[in-house]
Amino acid sequence: QVQLVESGGGLVQPGGSLRLSCAASRIIFSMYTMGWYQQAPGKERELVATITSDGNTNYADSLKGRFTISRDNAKKTVALQMNSLKPDDTAVYYCNAVRLDGATIYKYWGQGTQVTVSS
């Protein structure tokens, strides 16, 4: 069974930084596009950023310039560096792995890690 385990969340003051990490297991990591999503209280889960197996990235427009996604295929990890954090960034952050195989989509989620931005 595929496992995605997030870490690195916590409480940070506005303007601060956090680095989230997601470790994947039981997965051919290099075949998957990896992503981070955020879900604020009472809101839908929304895209933060994705990174393909060969390193192409995509970001939510509102987060460009503050957040950076990266991956290490050898270690089977994906990271999200979050800078200049704002209270609006408070959310549960989820790691995601997606692969398309013909007409079949394989999609997996981590359990989420809480990020709270508050003074």
Side-chain angles (χ1 to χ4, degrees):
Q1 184 176 354
V2 173
Q3 283 191 320
L4 301 175
V5 180
E6 301 98 334
S7 60
L11 174 65
V12 62
Q13 292 188 344
S17 298
L18 276 178
R19 185 176 178 85
L20 304 183
S21 184
C22 172
S25 59
R26 303 186 184 99
I27 188 175
I28 304 176
F29 187 78
S30 61
M31 295 180 67
Y32 284 76
T33 291
M34 301 300 296
W36 287 95
Y37 289 72
Q38 62 179 194
Q39 187 166 19
K43 293 188 177 181
E44 298 288 321
R45 192 173 298 186
E46 297 179 338
L47 170 72
V48 172
T50 60
I51 183 167
T52 64
S53 57
D54 55 358
N56 292 315
T57 58
N58 179 54
Y59 293 91
D61 287 342
S62 62
L63 300 175
K64 283 181 181 177
R66 295 195 298 122
F67 288 14
T68 303
I69 190 171
S70 60
R71 67 188 290 162
D72 185 328
N73 286 338
K75 295 182 178 179
K76 296 186 177 181
T77 59
V78 59
L80 183 69
Q81 179 66 41
M82 304 186 295
N83 298 328
S84 302
L85 283 162
K86 306 174 182 179
D88 284 351
D89 297 321
T90 295
V92 178
Y93 285 75
Y94 294 92
C95 179
N96 169 266
V98 176
R99 178 173 71 92
L100 181 63
D101 183 2
T104 302
I105 298 174
Y106 296 89
K107 182 183 288 188
Y108 304 98
W109 293 95
Q111 82 286 353
T113 186
Q114 176 71 47
V115 171
T116 302
V117 184
S118 175
S119 56

